């Protein structure tokens, strides 16, 4: 029988493990320190746990670190890591160095249920949700783990469709017994799944990014079928009930397609949609994926700059996000959980 991984466990869960193995309750904090501060890869390395205790732990548990299956490096320094996933679909995490920042884009699911037409992950279908161990492993198992400054839940899957595991991973990341990060170093992206988004907003102080892509319901539904269940207007209504003026940051993600959502009508519609909401709009050039038609092509730089300038003129802070890792299929919307040829 496979041993249960200890990484990803909360302090309360580690206390349960300690009790199960006949260890004193303080052994939970010892295990947490070995897992998240010293970052050991074996139970035998936990030298302040008795030898007999380590033997009992090892009967049913392991640290659980699983190294990447492979990696690919972009010409811009971005590195994509492939990890063993679920039900025949592997997952990917993307390391993005940028001057004094080192960001890791992590996955929360193998595939995705949301079915966004422009996203390679969505085209894979849903293969399962990662547990907290599978999420935390992406963070601890890469060579650059110790130098990371930021985590973004923007990889494969919809984080709000796997809320329990994502919340547990955030607890491990931010708790003093865990990695002790500030929540300001973490961003969670969502299509706007209302019930679980509310849970995230109420229970954490992490930054939030919402995928919008069109301010008009009918047009957004063509791109994102979830508009039927989670209308962007309802999402914005929910967000207006929270304070984003101090510690927490809110951003709107807006992928741009030539002739689809990049004219001034869309700029004005987007400005009306988020008017009065303390947020930033990130404009993202579309990254062409296999099977796209001629109608799904990226907006050109001049058009994107005009769109950005129009939003800023209307009082909506807007920037164009620099694309990273496109040559290794690591950019926004390109993750597929497949080994690259």
């Amino acid at each position: 029988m496979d041993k249960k991984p200890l990484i990803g466990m909360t302090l309360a869960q580690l206390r349960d493990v300690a009790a199960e193995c006949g260890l004193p309750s303080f052994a939970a904090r010892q295990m947490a320190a070995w897992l998240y501060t010293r970052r050991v890869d074996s139970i035998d390395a936990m030298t302040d746990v008795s030898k007999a205790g380590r033997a009992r732990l090892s009967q049913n548990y392991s640290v659980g670190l699983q190294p990447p299956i492979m990696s690919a490096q972009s010409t811009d320094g971005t590195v994509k890591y492939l990890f063993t996933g679920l039900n025949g679909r592997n997952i990917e995490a993307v390391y993005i160095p940028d001057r004094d920042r080192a960001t890791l884009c992590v996955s929360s699911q193998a595939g995705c249920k949301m079915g966004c037409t422009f996203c390679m992950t969505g085209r894979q279908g849903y293969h399962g949700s990662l547990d907290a161990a599978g999420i935390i492993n992406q963070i601890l198992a890469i060579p650059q783990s110790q130098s990371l400054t930021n985590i973004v839940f923007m990889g494969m899957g919809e984080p709000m469709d796997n809320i329990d595991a994502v919340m547990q991973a955030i607890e491990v990341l931010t708790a003093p017994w865990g990695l002790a990060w500030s929540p300001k170093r973490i961003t969670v992206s969502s299509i706007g799944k209302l019930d679980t988004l509310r849970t995230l907003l109420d229970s954490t102080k992490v930054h939030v990014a919402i995928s919008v892509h069109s301010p008009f319901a009918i047009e957004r539904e063509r791109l994102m079928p979830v508009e039927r269940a989670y209308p962007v207007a309802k999402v914005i209504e929910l967000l207006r009930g929270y304070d984003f003026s101090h510690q927490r940051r809110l951003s709107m993600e807006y992928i741009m397609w030539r002739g689809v959502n990049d004219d001034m009508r869309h700029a004005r519609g987007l400005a009306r949609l988020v008017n009065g909401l303390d947020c930033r709009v990130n404009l993202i050039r579309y990254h062409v994926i296999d099977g796209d038609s001629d109608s799904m092509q990226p907006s050109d730089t001049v058009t994107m700059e005009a769109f950005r300038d129009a939003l800023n003129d209307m009082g909506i802070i807007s920037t164009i996000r620099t694309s990273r890792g496109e040559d290794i299929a690591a950019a926004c919307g390109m993750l597929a959980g497949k080994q690259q040829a």
Side-chain angles (χ1 to χ4, degrees), residues 74 76-78 94-98 287 322-327 330-332:
S74 168
D76 62 26
T78 299
V94 180
Y95 170 74
I96 309 167
D98 185 14
H287 304 106
T322 303
S323 294
R324 299 292 299 272
E326 187 173 3
D327 58 329
C332 180

Side-chain angles (χ1 to χ4, degrees), residues 151 153 170 173-174 181-188 206-207:
I151 297 293
F153 285 81
I170 290 171
L173 283 166
T174 58
W181 280 29
S182 165
K184 292 186 291 184
R185 296 170 64 181
I186 303 167
T187 300
V188 178
V206 299
H207 301 316

Side-chain angles (χ1 to χ4, degrees), residues 160 163 192-200 202 230 238:
M160 295 300 93
I163 185 65
K193 192 174 180 184
L194 290 168
D195 49 351
T196 49
L197 178 59
R198 184 180 292 107
T199 298
L200 180 82
D202 288 341
Y230 305 109
L238 171 66

Side-chain angles (χ1 to χ4, degrees), residues 66-277:
Q66 297 292 328
I69 300 168
M70 64 165 292
S71 65
Q73 182 160 348
S74 168
T75 55
D76 62 26
T78 299
V79 184
K80 182 170 67 171
Y81 292 100
L82 186 72
F83 290 92
T84 299
L86 298 164
N87 301 317
R89 176 62 61 183
N90 291 326
I91 61 164
E92 292 171 330
V94 180
Y95 170 74
I96 309 167
D98 185 14
R99 297 186 293 275
D100 59 345
R101 290 170 65 94
T103 300
L104 186 68
C105 178
V106 299
S107 294
S108 56
Q109 296 179 316
C112 185
K113 296 178 184 176
M114 300 301 112
C116 297
T117 60
F118 52 86
C119 178
M120 182 61 80
T121 304
R123 293 185 185 181
Q124 308 307 308
Y126 172 71
H127 296 264
S129 291
L130 300 179
D131 58 14
I135 296 172
I136 294 297
N137 183 70
Q138 296 169 67
I139 298 163
L140 298 183
I142 64 169
Q144 304 89 346
S145 177
Q146 294 280 7
S147 63
L148 293 175
T149 63
N150 298 85
I151 297 293
V152 292
F153 285 81
M154 294 183 180
M156 299 174 70
E158 164 55 47
M160 295 300 93
D161 194 41
N162 189 17
I163 185 65
D164 291 340
V166 168
M167 291 284 289
Q168 184 170 323
I170 290 171
E171 182 179 356
V172 170
L173 283 166
T174 58
W177 48 260
L179 276 71
W181 280 29
S182 165
K184 292 186 291 184
R185 296 170 64 181
I186 303 167
T187 300
V188 178
S189 178
S190 176
I191 52 85
K193 192 174 180 184
L194 290 168
D195 49 351
T196 49
L197 178 59
R198 184 180 292 107
T199 298
L200 180 82
L201 291 165
D202 288 341
S203 304
T204 76
K205 295 296 182 184
V206 299
H207 301 316
V208 175
I210 301 297
S211 298
V212 178
H213 310 321
S214 177
F216 306 120
I218 294 175
E219 295 181 19
R220 185 174 188 254
E221 185 179 328
R222 295 191 195 110
L223 299 167
M224 305 171 64
V226 294
E227 167 69 18
R228 294 190 293 271
Y230 305 109
V232 68
K234 291 287 187 182
V235 177
I236 299 300
E237 181 181 339
L238 171 66
L239 294 170
R240 291 190 188 281
Y242 294 85
D243 181 12
F244 295 99
S245 61
H246 295 98
Q247 297 297 314
R248 172 180 280 174
R249 184 175 65 244
L250 173 65
S251 60
M252 301 293 162
E253 308 295 288
Y254 195 90
I255 296 174
M256 297 188 68
W257 292 270
R258 184 178 64 213
V260 174
N261 66 344
D262 62 353
D263 60 18
M264 288 302 108
R265 179 177 72 91
H266 288 85
R268 291 189 295 270
L270 183 57
R272 286 193 299 271
L273 179 70
V274 302
N275 182 48
L277 190 61

Side-chain angles (χ1 to χ4, degrees), residues 271-333:
R272 286 193 299 271
L273 179 70
V274 302
N275 182 48
L277 190 61
D278 198 332
C279 69
R280 174 186 300 270
V281 173
N282 290 324
L283 303 178
I284 305 166
R285 181 175 61 82
Y286 175 59
H287 304 106
V288 178
I289 58 179
D290 292 342
D292 275 358
S293 65
D294 291 340
S295 63
M296 298 290 281
Q297 295 297 313
S299 301
D300 59 53
T301 300
V302 172
T303 300
M304 292 185 68
E305 290 176 346
F307 198 98
R308 175 201 61 196
D309 294 345
L311 287 175
N312 284 319
D313 288 345
M314 289 182 278
I316 308 300
I317 299 173
S318 178
T319 57
I320 297 173
R321 181 190 292 171
T322 303
S323 294
R324 299 292 299 272
E326 187 173 3
D327 58 329
I328 56 169
C332 180

